[in-house]
């Protein structure tokens, strides 16, 4: 067998390490035959400008950027006219850069889909490719980001968007949001427009997401710094502002709007970088920024309920050498008392992870980030819990957390035995440790930890490496070849999206280098793969169009339709015209995938 040859040939046989055995075991040698969790035939890498799925499956778009959510909105306009009308219109359509999403069932045929609209691609939005920005363009972009919430209904040929549903809603950079939890009202949360520090406008760079068992959607604010700049080139940045990536020139030029100009509103960025809770069943509800979960570049949030009923939220901070976090609620989830669950995310304890070990496994610890503990005291700049919640990165560094290779999504398995996290890559890593074992890590890895005795409240855990991504063809003799479950037929780089389906399959989405050249040769466009967590086997399930990232995943209640986000096809003017072909502008799109025989996805 190829895999066995591969293992034999490799001088550095990185075997799959099992938790519950002292010695490393190779889980692949024997168990591939006879297991049937992965029931589809793997597809090849692709560089085509289309979404490809395995034989026996069909794929079609559900909604693309600019598609109306209301009947009084006009469809996407290829003329790209920017004026008051188009600015108002875009806020009534599906936003740009589809990312994390969750499905909330209404009945057998209908559901609400909540979808993040992470950012914008000015090079595709404007006729001058965004080379110059003005206030109107900024206003247009502010209405194209945030969150889109809409009803979908199963029809003859798959799901369709229900225009004008009472659930339909666009949340933009202007939508009022309550600030709650420990940072509410703190002096660094106050602005000229909000003297109490209790009401923010908008949510930004909504990357991935989470879903609570009490029926709310969690949207996670990631690279908010991209939207802020300073009209004063000599603005003196604090240590915290620098750590959060703020600089004089923003990525998007939004400092044309004084709210995003640090020289005029230095506290405004302190009101972003949080997890925001939204009630999808009430389109008039006010979203709530849950500051107790810390401020950083949030990727997603994976909610687990402890045996005792506490809400445990696992979170990653996506930047090189940043950290993995855990929040444990003080209150307990009570399925029979919805009112009681409403504010569970306001009070609790925040922790950050420290990893130790060798040979791709080891032990770890959750270190508490509470005021007065672990040197989080005045002499280190912390005068309250609010200081920790607003400057979480600085606090985590003080307590000795392990700098990771860009934490992206986190997913807990069905029994809550293992929690998996994608560490997407870290091209700048100079020194290694057990959990981040490669310098110049261009491929990324998936690490997993196991709370002791399945107790998510325990501050100790054991961990191992589910995979190191790599290129076994290009790097047969180094760690860059990847672990033994990476082969020439399934290789990929930069794992990012990560989610279990309800049958225990682990779906992996990539956001990496799609050049298909050099170190990345043989990987093709970004892709989605599916892993059997028991055997470690990985099969490629989907390939994305040109220059797109695959991010965001939801299933219909019957698991017979899968929704997948195709983000930024044709970014940086790469030659994509997905999804409409011809000369059309490429647009971020959610696709729906079904098995032609009507079966369960993946089976
Ligand atoms: Fe928005 Fe870390 O990806
Ligand atoms: Ca991501
Ligand atoms: Ca990414
Ligand atoms: Ca992205």
């Amino acid at each position: 067998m190829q895999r066995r040859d591969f293992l034999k040939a490799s001088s550095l046989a990185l075997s799959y390490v099992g938790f519950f055995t002292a010695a490393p075991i190779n889980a692949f040698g024997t168990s591939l035959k006879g297991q049937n969790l992965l029931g589809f035939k793997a597809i090849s890498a692709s560089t085509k400008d289309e979404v490809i799925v395995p034989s026996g499956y069909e794929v079609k778009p559900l909604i693309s950027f600019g598609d109306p959510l209301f009947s009084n909105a006009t469809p996407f306009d290829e003329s790209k006219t920017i004026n008051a009308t188009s600015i108002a219109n875009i806020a009534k359509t599906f936003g740009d850069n589809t990312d994390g999403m969750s499905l909330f069932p209404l009945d057998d045929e209908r559901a609400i889909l909540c979808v993040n609209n992470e950012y914008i691609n000015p090079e595709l939005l404007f006729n001058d490719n965004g080379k110059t920005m003005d206030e109107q363009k900024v206003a247009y972009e502010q209405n194209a980001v945030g969150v889109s919430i809409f009803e979908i209904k199963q029809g003859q040929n798959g799901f369709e968007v229900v225009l004008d549903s009472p659930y339909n809603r666009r949340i933009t950079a202007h939508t009022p949001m309550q600030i709650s939890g420990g940072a509410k009202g703190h002096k660094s949360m106050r602005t000229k427009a909000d003297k109490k520090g209790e009401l923010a406008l908008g949510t930004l760079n909504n990357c991935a997401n989470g879903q609570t068992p009490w029926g709310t959607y969690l949207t996670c604010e990631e690279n908010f710094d991209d939207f802020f700049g300073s009209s004063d080139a000599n603005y003196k940045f604090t240590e915290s502002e620098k750590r959060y990536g703020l600089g004089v020139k923003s990525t998007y030029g939004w400092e044309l709007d004084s709210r995003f100009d640090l020289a005029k509103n230095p506290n405004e960025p302190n009101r972003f970088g949080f997890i925001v809770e939204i009630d999808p069943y009430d389109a008039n509800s006010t979203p709530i920024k849950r500051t107790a979960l810390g401020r950083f570049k949030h990727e997603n949030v994976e909610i687990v309920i402890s045996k005792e009923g506490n809400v445990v939220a696992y979170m990653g901070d996506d930047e090189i050498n940043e950290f993995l976090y855990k929040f444990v609620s003080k209150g307990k989830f009570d399925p029979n008392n919805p009112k009681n669950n409403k504010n569970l995310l306001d009070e609790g304890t925040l922790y950050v992870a420290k990893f130790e070990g060798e040979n791709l496994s080891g032990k770890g610890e959750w270190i508490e980030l509470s005021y007065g503990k672990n040197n989080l005291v005045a002499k280190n700049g912390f005068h309250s819990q609010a200081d920790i919640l607003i400057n979480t990165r600085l606090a985590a560094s003080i307590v000795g957390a392990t700098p990771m290779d860009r934490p992206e999504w986190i997913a807990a398995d069905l029994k809550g035995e293992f929690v998996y996290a994608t560490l997407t890559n870290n091209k700048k890593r100079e020194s290694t440790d057990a959990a981040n074992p490669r310098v110049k890590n261009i491929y990324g890895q998936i690490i997993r930890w196991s709370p002791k005795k399945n107790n998510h409240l325990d501050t100790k855990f054991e961990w191992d490496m589910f995979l190191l991504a790599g290129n076994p063809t290009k790097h047969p003799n180094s760690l860059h070849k990847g672990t033994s479950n990476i082969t020439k037929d399934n290789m990929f780089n930069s794992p990012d999206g990560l989610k279990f389906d309800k049958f225990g399959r682990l779906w992996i989405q990539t956001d990496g280098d799609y050049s298909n050249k050099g170190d990345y040769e043989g990987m093709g466009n970004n892709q989605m793969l599916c892993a059997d967590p028991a055997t470690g086997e990985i099969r490629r399930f989907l390939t994305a169009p040109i220059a797109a990232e695959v991010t965001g995943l939801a299933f219909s209640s019957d698991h017979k339709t899968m929704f997948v986000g195709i983000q930024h096809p044709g970014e940086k003017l790469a030659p994509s015209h997905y999804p409409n072909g011809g000369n059309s502008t490429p647009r971020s799109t959610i696709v729906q995938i079904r098995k032609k025989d009507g079966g369960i996805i993946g089976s």
Side-chain angles (χ1 to χ4, degrees):
M1 230 188 92
Q2 233 162 15
R3 181 173 275 114
R4 194 164 301 153
D5 293 345
F6 161 75
L7 277 173
K8 224 190 320 186
S10 58
S11 58
L12 247 169
L14 299 171
S15 56
Y16 188 73
V17 180
F19 269 178
F20 304 112
T21 49
I25 53 158
N26 172 13
F28 310 130
T30 52
S31 55
L32 284 181
K33 272 184 200 147
Q35 64 83 22
N36 56 8
L37 196 60
L38 310 184
F40 62 91
K41 194 166 177 290
I43 61 169
S44 308
S46 161
T47 55
K48 294 197 174 120
D49 193 28
E50 57 185 300
V51 175
I52 300 172
V53 290
S55 62
Y57 285 80
E58 58 189 7
V59 56
K60 71 178 219 177
L62 173 74
I63 192 168
S64 298
F65 167 54
D67 285 352
L69 300 179
F70 300 92
S71 53
N72 66 357
T74 54
F76 183 79
D77 174 14
E78 287 285 354
S79 83
K80 304 184 182 177
T81 307
I82 304 299
N83 56 29
T85 307
S86 65
I87 291 167
N89 187 68
I90 205 70
K92 292 185 280 188
T93 71
F94 182 54
D96 202 358
N97 274 274
T98 183
D99 207 309
M101 61 177 139
S102 296
L103 182 140
F104 295 83
L106 291 168
D107 59 33
D108 285 351
E109 293 178 341
R110 302 181 312 135
I112 303 168
L113 208 53
C114 291
V115 189
N116 290 345
N117 298 117
E118 189 182 23
Y119 64 105
I120 52 272
N121 294 103
E123 72 274 27
L124 299 173
L125 291 188
F126 305 121
N127 285 319
D128 72 347
N129 308 126
K131 282 189 194 102
T132 60
M133 287 300 288
D134 58 33
E135 280 159 9
Q136 280 202 317
K137 286 175 172 170
V138 169
Y140 183 86
E141 291 186 342
Q142 289 174 341
N143 279 351
V145 298
V147 181
S148 296
I149 299 173
F150 50 95
E151 184 181 331
I152 54 173
K153 188 175 191 301
Q154 177 98 260
Q156 283 293 313
N157 298 303
F159 280 90
E160 285 166 14
V161 174
V162 180
L163 293 179
D164 304 319
S165 159
Y167 301 107
N168 290 8
R169 177 178 196 186
R170 266 303 310 286
I171 288 166
T172 69
H174 301 294
T175 307
M177 321 223 142
Q178 279 180 45
I179 297 170
S180 77
K184 173 183 169 182
H186 187 268
K187 65 179 190 308
S188 53
M189 299 294 275
R190 299 176 204 155
T191 62
K192 277 177 221 151
D194 173 27
K195 294 199 168 58
K196 289 182 171 166
E198 294 180 352
L199 193 78
L201 294 181
T203 180
L204 291 177
N205 215 100
N206 304 80
C207 184
N209 63 309
Q211 192 166 13
T212 68
W214 54 93
T216 58
Y217 182 66
L218 301 172
T219 181
C220 305
E221 298 180 331
E222 194 190 23
N223 300 310
F224 61 89
D225 57 308
D226 287 349
F227 298 91
F228 289 91
S230 167
S231 56
D232 173 7
N234 299 314
Y235 183 87
K236 258 190 86 66
F237 290 91
T238 64
E239 186 196 350
S240 177
E241 285 167 340
K242 286 187 218 160
R243 179 72 178 270
Y244 282 85
L246 293 159
V248 167
K249 246 194 111 39
S250 74
T251 304
Y252 298 109
W254 284 22
E255 57 269 38
L256 287 168
D257 172 351
S258 63
R259 184 154 70 94
F260 297 90
D261 181 349
L262 280 164
K264 293 177 184 144
N265 278 298
N267 283 348
E268 187 68 12
N270 295 335
R271 296 140 63 87
F272 295 89
F274 293 110
I275 286 178
V276 183
E277 185 168 10
I278 300 171
D279 178 358
Y281 294 100
D282 178 2
N284 295 314
S285 59
T286 304
I288 305 174
K289 299 208 174 191
R290 299 293 186 188
T291 66
L293 281 68
R295 175 171 170 264
F296 42 91
K297 296 189 182 180
H298 281 280
E299 184 70 23
N300 83 331
V301 52
E302 178 74 337
I303 301 284
V304 176
I305 303 297
S306 77
K307 283 175 191 155
E308 298 79 1
N310 308 74
V311 182
V312 180
Y314 289 104
M315 305 172 283
D317 182 353
D318 179 9
E319 192 129 58
I320 57 170
N321 303 325
E322 291 295 341
F323 309 119
L324 286 161
Y325 293 87
K326 172 174 96 162
F327 168 85
V328 178
S329 71
K330 185 174 172 216
K332 289 177 183 167
F333 169 62
D334 179 354
N336 301 315
N337 186 1
K339 243 187 172 165
N340 167 75
N341 304 324
K342 256 179 94 174
N343 295 310
L344 284 172
L345 298 181
D346 270 350
E347 249 191 291
T349 310
L350 190 61
Y351 301 87
V352 67
K354 182 178 181 172
F355 291 81
E356 284 170 346
E358 55 187 346
N359 295 333
L360 309 184
S361 66
K363 291 182 187 317
E365 187 186 348
W366 291 105
I367 308 174
E368 191 172 335
L369 297 174
S370 294
Y371 175 60
K373 290 188 180 171
N374 299 323
N375 293 318
L376 298 174
V377 293
K379 79 168 162 52
N380 288 319
F382 296 93
H383 302 276
S384 64
Q385 187 63 18
D387 279 340
I388 294 170
L389 298 179
I390 296 164
N391 305 293
T392 310
R393 286 181 164 184
L394 305 186
S397 287
I398 284 175
V399 306
T402 302
M404 309 297 285
D405 287 344
R406 290 186 58 197
E408 300 248 34
W409 291 46
I410 301 177
D413 69 12
L414 302 184
K415 293 181 187 156
E417 284 176 345
F418 295 91
V419 184
Y420 294 67
T422 48
L423 302 173
T424 198
N425 59 53
N426 185 350
K427 293 164 192 173
K428 293 184 177 160
R429 179 168 284 281
E430 289 171 350
S431 64
T432 63
D433 56 55
N436 305 276
R438 294 179 289 190
V439 294
K440 294 198 183 74
N441 175 13
I442 59 172
Y443 296 124
Q445 64 259 34
I446 299 180
I447 195 169
R448 60 179 191 173
W449 58 88
S450 176
K452 272 201 176 156
K453 295 189 186 133
N454 277 12
N455 175 9
H456 289 268
L457 305 188
D458 202 315
T459 55
K460 298 281 186 349
F461 59 86
E462 292 180 75
W463 66 270
D464 72 359
M465 202 65 82
F466 184 63
L467 65 85
L468 295 178
N471 190 325
T473 311
K474 285 276 162 179
H475 300 284
N477 299 314
S478 83
L479 277 182
H480 291 296
K481 76 168 184 270
T483 35
S484 58
N485 47 349
I486 302 298
T487 70
K488 68 174 178 42
D489 297 319
N490 69 8
M491 60 182 165
F492 60 92
N493 73 88
S494 308
D496 187 337
L498 193 69
K499 196 183 178 75
F500 279 93
D501 67 24
K502 71 175 183 193
F503 300 95
R505 298 179 193 89
L506 180 59
W507 297 87
I508 304 165
Q509 302 176 320
T510 76
D511 168 23
D513 188 303
Y514 43 75
S515 65
N516 202 35
K517 290 199 181 100
D519 289 325
Y520 305 99
E521 196 178 327
M523 297 178 176
N525 293 350
N526 276 308
Q527 50 188 289
M528 181 165 74
L529 308 104
C530 189
D532 179 339
T535 64
E537 188 193 357
I538 299 161
R539 290 186 196 173
R540 187 181 292 118
F541 180 84
L542 175 150
T543 56
I546 291 170
E549 159 187 348
V550 185
T551 184
L553 178 59
F555 293 89
S556 60
S557 306
D558 60 10
H559 259 58
K560 292 178 175 175
T561 302
M562 170 192 244
F563 300 95
V564 178
I566 303 297
Q567 193 189 47
H568 61 67
E571 69 167 357
K572 297 177 189 144
L573 305 179
S576 170
H577 298 284
Y578 184 82
N580 294 327
N583 260 331
S584 64
T585 300
R587 290 192 271 153
S588 291
T589 296
I590 295 173
V591 295
Q592 52 183 320
I593 297 165
R594 292 193 298 180
K595 226 174 152 176
K596 286 178 186 160
D597 68 5
I600 303 289
I601 300 290
S603 67

